């Protein structure tokens, strides 16, 4: 069974950004499976590196999208991304600096909340903004 499951409720209605979120869910599941399987540290390091890199890549793509649609809360959203990036970097550093063979399950739960809390909260705000924009656009187009 998967540790985290993507569902339509968390869709931001942008295909490429949903695909990114799905990929992040998959990466967290891979990490969890690797911990349960007692995989070697090298493998866990690789999976965590991949997640950290992908997170950076996704944030940049998402910020570019918000800019494109003129999302008014872009600055606050960017700040939240910075905090999230700092959190994962700290968690990563902590894991590296002690002798733990794997990130703890507590860390995995925090990681789950870290991702889902943001997608359900802040990411949904740009989705709602875009939805409204499309509605207004079609209304304007329909006006003779
Ligand atoms: Fe996102
Ligand atoms: Fe975001």
């Amino acid at each position: 069974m998967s540790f985290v499951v993507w569902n339509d409720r968390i869709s931001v209605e942008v295909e490429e950004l949903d695909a990114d979120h799905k990929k992040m869910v998959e990466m967290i599941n891979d990490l969890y499976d690797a911990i349960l399987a007692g995989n070697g540290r090298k493998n866990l390091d690789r999976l965590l590196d991949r997640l950290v890199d992908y997170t950076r890549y996704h944030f940049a793509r998402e910020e570019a999208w918000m800019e494109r649609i003129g999302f008014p809360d872009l600055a606050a959203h960017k700040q939240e991304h910075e905090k999230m990036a700092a959190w994962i970097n700290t968690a990563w550093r902590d894991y590296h600096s002690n002798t733990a063979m794997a990130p703890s399950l507590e860390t995995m739960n925090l990681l789950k909340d870290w991702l889902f809390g943001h997608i359900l909260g802040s990411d949904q705000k740009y989705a709602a903004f875009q939805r409204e924009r499309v509605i207004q656009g079609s209304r304007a187009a329909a006006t003779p």
Side-chain angles (χ1 to χ4, degrees), residues 17-81:
L17 298 178
D18 275 346
D20 285 358
H21 290 153
K22 284 177 191 170
K23 185 92 191 145
M24 289 163 93
V25 162
E26 196 184 300
M27 286 178 173
I28 291 176
N29 281 328
D30 286 349
L31 187 59
Y32 183 75
D33 289 344
I35 293 169
L36 285 193
N39 277 352
R41 174 130 196 176
K42 225 173 158 182
N43 190 32
L44 294 177
D45 284 359
R46 189 181 56 80
L47 291 171
L48 262 167
D49 274 345
R50 213 166 57 123
L51 177 62
V52 170
D53 288 349
Y54 199 85
T55 298
R56 207 172 298 135
Y57 161 81
H58 166 65
F59 284 173
R61 266 155 68 88
E62 202 173 68
E63 286 166 14
W65 162 254
M66 289 187 281
E67 193 148 9
R68 217 176 311 143
I69 63 170
F71 181 58
D73 290 332
L74 174 62
H77 200 123
K78 267 188 179 171
Q79 246 175 32
E80 209 175 305
H81 280 171

Side-chain angles (χ1 to χ4, degrees), residues 6-8 10-24 54 57-58 61-62 65 68-69 119 123-124 126-127 130 134:
W6 194 90
N7 62 65
D8 286 340
I10 67 168
S11 169
V12 291
E13 296 157 42
V14 182
E15 210 176 314
E16 63 189 58
L17 298 178
D18 275 346
D20 285 358
H21 290 153
K22 284 177 191 170
K23 185 92 191 145
M24 289 163 93
Y54 199 85
Y57 161 81
H58 166 65
R61 266 155 68 88
E62 202 173 68
W65 162 254
R68 217 176 311 143
I69 63 170
I119 299 176
D123 285 356
Q124 286 303 325
Y126 71 70
Q130 171 65 359
V134 170

